[in-house]
Amino acid sequence: GLVAALLFRIGWMKPLAIVHEKLRWGRGGLVVLVVASLAVLVALVVLLNPLRVLVTGNLTGTGSLTALGVIQEIQRQAVWYVLVNMLPIPGLTGALLLQAVAPGLKPFIERYQLGFAVALLVLAAFGVFQMLLGPLNELIAGQLIVLIS
């Protein structure tokens, strides 16, 4: 996921191996965990907006432009991470949703996680995510990221 983010500006997080039986709400806890982890990234996007205003008001010239560019890229990457990781595909956080719905898939998910990660990297290289999720990404990013002129 990090390699894809560095090379193709779209990445994902490796999901943690979680035993749903140890969670308070069992399989429902997996759903809560996925939603909460992705909500944190959405919150990060929104919480970085005031920093953009602060940078604009206190820095000038190329320092201001560089800082704004870095903040905006972090925000855009976070939106991509949320969209990609919601997909219920082994190798992504969304695979925990598969595990919540069908716990019997856990061995399959764990066994083929690396293979799916390589396939995801190839899809990212060919721009499949940008083609399929790009319009949704632009819509969400446009709503969450405050542009400063």
Side-chain angles (χ1 to χ4, degrees), residues 48 52 64-76:
L48 284 174
R52 293 169 61 103
S64 175
L65 292 175
T66 301
L68 284 173
V70 168
I71 294 167
Q72 181 173 330
E73 188 59 28
I74 291 169
Q75 289 176 303
R76 292 201 170 273

Side-chain angles (χ1 to χ4, degrees), residues 54-118:
L54 186 66
V55 164
T56 303
N58 292 310
L59 295 178
T60 59
T62 57
S64 175
L65 292 175
T66 301
L68 284 173
V70 168
I71 294 167
Q72 181 173 330
E73 188 59 28
I74 291 169
Q75 289 176 303
R76 292 201 170 273
Q77 284 293 320
V79 172
W80 271 117
Y81 271 67
V82 168
L83 287 175
V84 172
N85 277 287
M86 285 177 36
L87 299 174
I89 299 172
L92 301 176
T93 305
L96 294 174
L97 297 174
L98 282 177
Q99 187 178 330
V101 173
L105 289 177
K106 184 176 180 180
F108 170 82
I109 291 168
E110 290 174 350
R111 178 178 297 152
Y112 296 107
Q113 187 170 335
L114 180 60
F116 274 97
V118 171

Side-chain angles (χ1 to χ4, degrees), residues 89-146:
I89 299 172
L92 301 176
T93 305
L96 294 174
L97 297 174
L98 282 177
Q99 187 178 330
V101 173
L105 289 177
K106 184 176 180 180
F108 170 82
I109 291 168
E110 290 174 350
R111 178 178 297 152
Y112 296 107
Q113 187 170 335
L114 180 60
F116 274 97
V118 171
L120 292 169
L121 184 61
V122 170
L123 292 175
F126 284 101
V128 173
F129 290 115
Q130 291 86 341
M131 186 175 42
L132 296 176
L133 298 175
L136 184 58
N137 177 50
E138 288 303 316
L139 177 69
I140 293 170
Q143 296 297 313
L144 297 177
I145 300 173
V146 175

